[in-house]
Amino acid sequence: GNSVTQMEGPVTLSEEAFLTINCTYTATGYPSLFWYVQYPGEGLQLLLKATKADDKGSNKGFEATYRKETTSFHLEKGSVQVSDSAVYFCALLGNFNKFYFGSGTKLNVKP
Amino acid sequence: DGGITQSPKYLFRKEGQNVTLSCEQNLNHDAMYWYRQDPGQGLRLIYYSQIVNDFQKGDIAEGYSVSREKKESFPLTVTSAQKNPTAFYLCASSRQGRSSGNTIYFGEGSWLTVV
C-alpha cells in the first residue's frame, strides 16, 4: 500500500541554519510527491511538488528532489528564517486520486 | 479569487447536537475531501467525493455524514454520535485522476469545540 514517513519533530534551529526534513515513501508505481506547510490555525499550503523521478521541486528557497532509488523526498533549505516556523507535511498522490500525508514535522526557528 | 471557503471559522457545539460545516470551492474541481486534525497531530481522512452524488468513507467516518449535491459544495455534518468532535476540520479539493499536474488544495479550516 501507500504510505509516507517523515522525521518526528520538533526540529529547532537557529536563524540562518541549514534545514533538512526527511521524508520517505512507499507506493506502487510512480506517485507525485508534495511538501505542504501549515502555519498555526491555518490550512495547508502547497510548498512544492515533483511529479517524476529526479525532478526537483523548489519554492521560497526550499527544495526537494524526487529520489526513486531511495524512495525519498527530503525537504531542504539553505538558510532558515524565523518566519519559516511552521509544520511541514510530506504527501504523495496514489491510486484512485487518494492523497497520503505524513504525520507532520514542526519546525521552530529561533532568532 | 479562486479557492476553497470554509465556514464558520469557529463553531461551538453542545452535547447531543448535530452541526454542519460548510465547504465551497470555485476551482471547478471534481474531487473534494474532509480531514480531521487534532492538536499537534497529522491529518485523518473522514470522507471524500470524486464526483457529484457519490462519496466514500475515509479512515474515521463514524459519527460524520456528508452530501455532494453540487460540484462546488461538500458540507460535513458532525453528528451526536461522534463522541469526541473537538478538532480542527480541513476541507480540500483536487482535480480528478492521477495526472502529473494534480494537486490537492486546502481551505483555511474550521475549529469545532464541544461545550
Side-chain angles (χ1 to χ4, degrees):
Chain A
N2 297 318
S3 67
V4 176
T5 303
Q6 56 182 109
M7 63 188 290
E8 289 191 21
V11 174
T12 301
L13 297 173
S14 297
E15 205 165 24
E16 298 184 3
F18 185 86
L19 168 71
T20 300
I21 300 178
N22 291 337
C23 171
T24 57
Y25 68 90
T26 302
T28 54
Y30 304 93
S32 295
L33 301 173
F34 308 83
W35 276 102
Y36 285 83
V37 59
Q38 184 181 34
Y39 298 100
E42 298 184 7
L44 277 67
Q45 302 173 27
L46 177 66
L47 182 58
L48 54 84
K49 69 179 184 181
T51 58
K52 59 184 187 295
D54 300 325
D55 265 4
K56 177 185 284 189
S58 61
N59 186 25
K60 300 180 182 179
F62 290 90
E63 293 182 340
T65 301
Y66 190 138
R67 301 287 188 199
K68 184 165 171 48
E69 63 276 12
T70 55
T71 61
S72 64
F73 193 55
H74 304 321
L75 182 68
E76 297 181 335
K77 187 176 185 183
S79 176
V80 294
Q81 306 300 313
V82 172
S83 57
D84 294 326
S85 297
V87 180
Y88 293 82
F89 290 91
C90 186
L92 69 81
L93 171 59
N95 293 327
F96 309 111
N97 213 43
K98 283 193 72 174
F99 289 83
Y100 297 82
F101 290 86
S103 56
T105 302
K106 185 173 183 179
L107 171 65
N108 296 316
V109 181
K110 297 185 174 181
Chain B
D1 286 346
I4 301 170
T5 302
Q6 291 187 236
S7 63
K9 178 70 175 178
Y10 300 95
L11 185 60
F12 297 89
R13 191 194 93 168
K14 294 182 179 179
E15 295 282 351
Q17 269 187 342
N18 292 352
V19 293
T20 298
L21 306 180
S22 170
C23 178
E24 303 278 332
Q25 55 98 359
N26 60 5
L27 300 169
N28 200 32
H29 286 166
D30 287 306
M32 297 187 73
Y33 312 79
W34 275 104
Y35 291 89
R36 170 177 171 149
Q37 187 178 30
D38 292 283
Q41 303 298 312
L43 306 176
R44 292 187 289 171
L45 182 64
I46 305 172
Y47 269 99
Y48 64 104
S49 168
Q50 304 281 25
I51 196 168
V52 174
N53 292 323
D54 188 40
F55 47 83
Q56 290 78 41
K57 294 181 178 180
D59 302 317
I60 56 164
E62 185 175 352
Y64 299 96
S65 66
V66 293
S67 63
R68 188 85 189 277
E69 297 176 1
K70 298 186 300 182
K71 186 175 184 178
E72 307 79 37
S73 178
F74 192 41
L76 173 74
T77 296
V78 184
T79 75
S80 57
Q82 172 50 243
K83 297 306 178 187
N84 185 23
T86 296
F88 189 50
Y89 290 87
L90 287 161
C91 180
S93 72
S94 73
R95 294 202 315 247
Q96 184 58 275
R98 273 193 65 186
S99 65
S100 62
N102 202 5
T103 302
I104 188 169
Y105 296 93
F106 288 84
E108 288 297 303
S110 293
W111 289 95
L112 174 62
T113 303
V114 173
V115 296

